[in-house]
């Protein structure tokens, strides 16, 4: 056996930092909202304000984290032929718990989000991560993957909601009283004074949601390309010049 064959293969960056890789994938590289483009129905429909978007995003992140852990815990006991129905049952049970909790503790927000809370069950992001990751990995990694994917979606919903709310009504954090009660009214930021009576209806309508999401995807792609070019320049500058023989 040669010396090269006897040496162990060098670990990849993903093997050295698996937790960092999972977080990076969920928040940026494989972000479900602007990269995988999954679950666009709630993304476009509920992102009219920051509060609505973040609330639904956090509820989805909670379901994804717990469902990922649950699927990973029983993955060796699930027959391959019926894994999808079992995954859906787990997700539906968790969504029902979230639905009941929101109805009990944040009822005004629950009424505002409406049907989009139960529809987390059929959100393809949740089932896709259970199928693609949780069914093949241990519990801690699966829970982190679900959480990071959910937080990545929450980040997209927060930015999209801020864009649409700011352009459409000139405010930020409108509707905070739905979560925090009367104290939430003091959290609303009127970027454009109320005396102006500003309103740009397109931003609040579905076409505005498509346009805002398109700009968000384009911005993310531009940042990614800029980072790659900068890394390539740094790599070229760090490479020593070979001597001419």
């Amino acid at each position: 056996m040669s010396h090269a064959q006897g040496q162990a293969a060098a670990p990849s960056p993903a093997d050295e930092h698996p937790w960092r890789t999972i977080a990076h994938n969920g928040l940026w590289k494989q972000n479900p909202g602007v990269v995988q483009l999954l679950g666009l129905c709630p993304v476009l429909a509920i992102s009219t304000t920051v509060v609505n978007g973040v609330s639904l995003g956090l509820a989805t992140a909670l379901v994804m984290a717990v469902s990922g852990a649950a699927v990973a815990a029983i993955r060796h006991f699930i027959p391959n032929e019926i894994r999808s129905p079992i995954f859906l049952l787990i997700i539906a049970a968790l969504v029902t718990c979230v639905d009941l909790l929101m109805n009990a503790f944040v009822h005004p927000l629950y009424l505002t989000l409406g049907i989009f809370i139960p529809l987390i069950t059929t959100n393809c992001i949740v089932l896709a991560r259970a199928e693609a990751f949780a069914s093949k990995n241990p519990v801690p990694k699966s829970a982190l993957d679900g959480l990071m994917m959910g937080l990545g979606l929450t980040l997209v919903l927060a930015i999209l909601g801020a864009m649409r709310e700011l352009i459409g009504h000139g405010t930020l954090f409108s509707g905070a009283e739905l979560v925090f009660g009367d104290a939430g009214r003091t959290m609303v930021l009127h970027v454009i004074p109320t005396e102006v009576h500003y309103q740009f209806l397109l931003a609040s309508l579905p076409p505005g949601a498509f346009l805002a999401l398109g700009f968000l995807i384009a911005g993310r792609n531009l940042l990614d390309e800029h980072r790659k070019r900068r890394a390539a320049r740094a790599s070229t500058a760090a490479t020593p010049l070979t001597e001419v023989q």
Side-chain angles (χ1 to χ4, degrees):
M1 181 182 295
S2 66
H3 178 69
Q5 291 175 332
Q7 284 184 327
S12 65
D15 295 331
E16 293 178 351
H17 307 287
W19 308 106
R20 186 185 303 173
T21 300
I22 291 173
H24 178 69
N25 287 341
L27 295 174
W28 185 260
K29 187 177 180 180
Q30 298 178 8
N31 187 288
V34 292
V35 178
Q36 300 186 63
L37 300 181
L38 298 175
L40 290 184
C41 178
V43 169
L44 297 173
I46 211 65
S47 61
T48 52
T49 66
V50 177
V51 172
N52 290 352
V54 171
S55 300
L56 185 65
L58 291 178
T60 305
L62 176 62
V63 171
M64 291 186 69
V66 180
S67 65
V71 168
I74 63 172
R75 69 186 190 279
H76 296 302
F77 307 101
I78 301 176
N80 190 56
E81 295 81 4
I82 59 171
R83 66 182 186 279
S84 292
I86 292 178
F87 294 167
L88 279 174
L89 284 174
I90 294 172
I91 295 167
L94 293 171
V95 170
T96 301
C97 294
V98 171
D99 184 79
L100 292 174
L101 287 171
M102 293 185 72
N103 189 11
F105 295 104
V106 282
H107 187 68
L109 179 65
Y110 171 82
L111 294 177
T112 300
L113 298 180
I115 190 62
F116 290 102
I117 302 173
L119 282 179
I120 296 174
T121 303
T122 57
N123 194 319
C124 49
I125 303 172
V126 186
L127 183 60
R129 295 317 294 177
E131 179 71 36
F133 194 95
S135 62
K136 304 178 178 114
N137 289 277
V139 172
K141 288 184 178 181
S142 299
L144 180 64
D145 176 77
L147 179 63
M148 289 298 108
M149 286 289 170
L151 291 179
L153 178 66
T154 304
L155 181 62
V156 172
L157 284 166
I159 297 174
L160 198 59
M163 292 170 60
R164 296 180 65 191
E165 182 181 353
L166 183 59
I167 297 173
H169 301 283
T171 62
L172 285 174
F173 308 113
S174 176
E177 67 276 5
L178 300 176
V179 181
F180 302 104
D182 290 336
R185 300 183 189 278
T186 61
M187 299 174 60
V188 181
L189 299 178
H190 293 277
V191 181
I192 299 177
T194 54
E195 296 81 8
V196 178
H197 301 291
Y198 171 81
Q199 187 175 17
F200 187 62
L201 190 58
L202 177 63
S204 302
L205 295 176
F210 277 102
L211 290 172
L213 182 62
F215 281 116
L216 197 58
I217 294 171
R220 186 261 174 205
N221 290 341
L222 286 174
L223 287 174
D224 207 30
E225 287 299 321
H226 176 70
R227 183 186 61 82
K228 289 179 181 177
R229 287 196 299 267
R230 187 173 60 183
R233 287 195 299 267
S235 177
T236 303
T239 302
L241 297 175
T242 58
E243 296 181 358
V244 179
Q245 300 294 332

